[in-house]
Amino acid sequence: MSIWGYSGDIRFARDVRLCFDVNKLREQCHLPSDGNLTDGPVLRFTDERLATVMKLLSDVVEDPDPSVQLYGDALVTALATRLLSRARNAPKRESKLSPLQLRDAISFLEANMPHRVELATLAALAGLSPSYYSRAFKATTGLAPYQWQLQTRIQQAQALLLFKTMSLEDIAEATGFADAVHFARMFKKMTGVTPSSWRKDRAS
């Protein structure tokens, strides 16, 4: 459909276009299999939660960090669910992963560390939709899948930092960070100190 608008005062505009695979949306978000996904176009509405999620997604879409894959998948699922909430026909079930499902998830994440892992892949292991799986994983571990993956990579980095022969560049590469600068920034964000300071404190 063609849409047009006018503003005499506008000085800056940012345009975000979202394109979804309809079949994947139905599967991942438990949407009805028949009929349209929406009741029709929704124009001139404001949704601060949508705007926040889209901003977060636009900030990381080019980020090479492996944990961003799980983070981005979760953001896209949240966007789709929010946009099409009126089409949902089942209430959210707040549940946790079974011990077996959790073991499978952790084993898979550890085996693929530090590479990118898609949320849909983890969810398929448990036989769940990505949107439900993301909630269940967090309810079980207290962390979203991407947070668990990033935290584990930082813990691996801490173990490697104990080896004085390994440079920060080597540790960054081993744990999937783009370079030593990116590694140091994420390490400090997660621990509150730089890798060099953390290593120095353990050496004294």
Side-chain angles (χ1 to χ4, degrees):
M1 85 185 275
S2 299
I3 302 174
W4 65 271
Y6 172 79
S7 173
D9 301 319
I10 195 166
R11 293 180 180 163
F12 174 80
R14 189 173 188 183
D15 180 56
V16 179
R17 297 177 185 228
L18 303 173
C19 300
F20 298 102
D21 184 307
V22 173
N23 292 327
K24 285 186 178 180
L25 271 189
R26 286 196 170 103
E27 178 184 350
Q28 293 182 11
C29 300
H30 290 161
L31 298 172
S33 59
D34 55 341
N36 295 324
L37 290 181
T38 61
D39 298 330
V42 181
L43 305 176
R44 299 176 64 87
F45 75 97
T46 300
D47 189 315
E48 291 299 327
R49 290 177 62 184
L50 271 178
T52 298
V53 176
M54 284 190 286
K55 175 64 168 61
L56 292 172
L57 185 60
S58 67
D59 287 343
V60 300
V61 70
E62 300 293 341
D63 195 323
D65 189 274
S67 295
V68 167
Q69 181 68 53
L70 286 171
Y71 181 50
D73 287 349
L75 290 176
V76 170
T77 300
L79 271 174
T81 303
R82 183 73 175 171
L83 281 169
L84 304 170
S85 58
R86 293 178 302 165
R88 293 181 64 87
N89 61 354
K92 292 181 180 179
R93 296 171 297 158
E94 295 301 335
S95 186
K96 295 184 177 182
L97 297 178
S98 70
L100 177 59
Q101 289 173 327
L102 182 60
R103 283 198 301 272
D104 286 345
I106 292 175
S107 296
F108 187 85
L109 285 169
E110 289 179 340
N112 288 276
M113 200 74 69
H115 305 296
R116 287 176 178 260
V117 175
E118 294 186 359
L119 182 60
T121 302
L122 281 178
L125 290 175
L128 301 170
S129 73
S131 57
Y132 177 76
Y133 183 88
S134 186
R135 296 194 302 271
F137 189 99
K138 187 170 185 178
T140 306
T141 65
L143 298 170
Y146 80 90
Q147 292 173 320
W148 190 95
Q149 186 187 44
L150 179 57
Q151 178 176 279
T152 302
R153 289 166 60 209
I154 294 297
Q155 290 171 347
Q156 288 183 343
Q158 288 174 325
L160 295 177
L161 282 167
L162 298 177
F163 295 92
K164 298 179 181 179
T165 56
M166 290 193 71
S167 67
L168 295 185
E169 288 78 8
D170 291 338
I171 296 173
E173 182 178 356
T175 50
F177 293 97
D179 50 42
V181 175
H182 182 217
F183 166 55
R185 183 170 67 250
M186 296 305 297
F187 190 96
K188 185 173 182 179
K189 181 178 179 181
M190 295 290 291
T191 67
V193 296
T194 65
S196 298
S197 296
W198 192 93
R199 170 182 267 174
K200 184 178 180 180
D201 288 343
R202 269 75 188 164
S204 57

